[in-house]
Amino acid sequence: MVGIGEVKRVTRTCAEIAYAVHVEQWGRGFATQLARLLLEVAFVDPAIARVQGTCDPRNLASAAVLRKAGLLYEGTMRHTAHLRDGWRDSAMHAVLRGEWSA
Ligand SMILES: CC(C)(COP(=O)(O)OP(=O)(O)OC[C@H]1O[C@@H](n2cnc3c(N)ncnc32)[C@H](O)[C@@H]1OP(=O)(O)O)[C@@H](O)C(=O)NCCC(=O)NCCS
């Protein structure tokens, strides 16, 4: 398996994408392809006006993937989760239907 992706509905008009790629396959563009595919899936529903994706601000590879897929950085939400190694922040990225081109 190369990776996994998910589209989930956050509100009636907003969906969120998430993905992971097997470590042996990193750096080959798979996450970017997957993120673009997930956007296509999310926007199939005409009610969806916004698709968002978040990452740990330290996860520069994931932020690059979101940007390459067309999502814009909107800001960082602080202390969104408490993990074993402490608090995690979330860098919010999103693309609006009118900005997205399949
Ligand atoms: C983040 C992740 C999905 C990236 O997968 P990938 O298939 O390697 O991603 P891609 O090859 O499509 O693109 C990676 C981009 O990040 C860039 N990148 C990688 N490491 C980087 C770093 N340390 N700093 C800046 N950019 C970096 C690459 O250069 C590439 O951009 P480019 O094509 O413009 O050169 C993968 O590392 C992963 O699954 N990590 C664990 C799970 C995870 O973090 N999921 C995302 C949760 S938000």
Side-chain angles (χ1 to χ4, degrees):
M1 187 178 69
V2 171
I4 54 169
E6 175 188 63
V7 181
K8 71 178 178 191
R9 187 181 285 274
V10 180
T11 67
R12 190 179 65 79
T13 58
C14 177
E16 182 163 322
I17 62 170
Y19 44 77
V21 168
H22 192 284
V23 63
E24 288 174 11
Q25 305 291 342
W26 286 3
R28 301 176 65 184
F30 288 131
T32 304
Q33 283 184 51
L34 184 54
R36 290 179 177 144
L37 189 63
L38 294 172
L39 290 179
E40 281 189 45
V41 171
F43 280 125
V44 163
D45 182 342
I48 295 298
R50 167 191 169 89
V51 180
Q52 64 187 37
T54 67
C55 62
D56 186 315
R58 295 166 294 186
N59 191 344
L60 300 179
S62 189
V65 167
L66 292 169
R67 279 199 309 275
K68 285 192 293 176
L71 289 79
L72 298 179
Y73 172 69
E74 295 184 331
T76 295
M77 301 177 291
R78 298 173 297 161
H79 287 195
T80 51
H82 192 260
L83 307 179
R84 270 184 304 182
D85 59 345
W87 285 104
R88 207 201 99 164
D89 297 342
S90 286
M92 174 65 77
H93 299 71
V95 59
L96 306 182
R97 179 179 288 279
E99 299 165 344
W100 172 74
S101 54

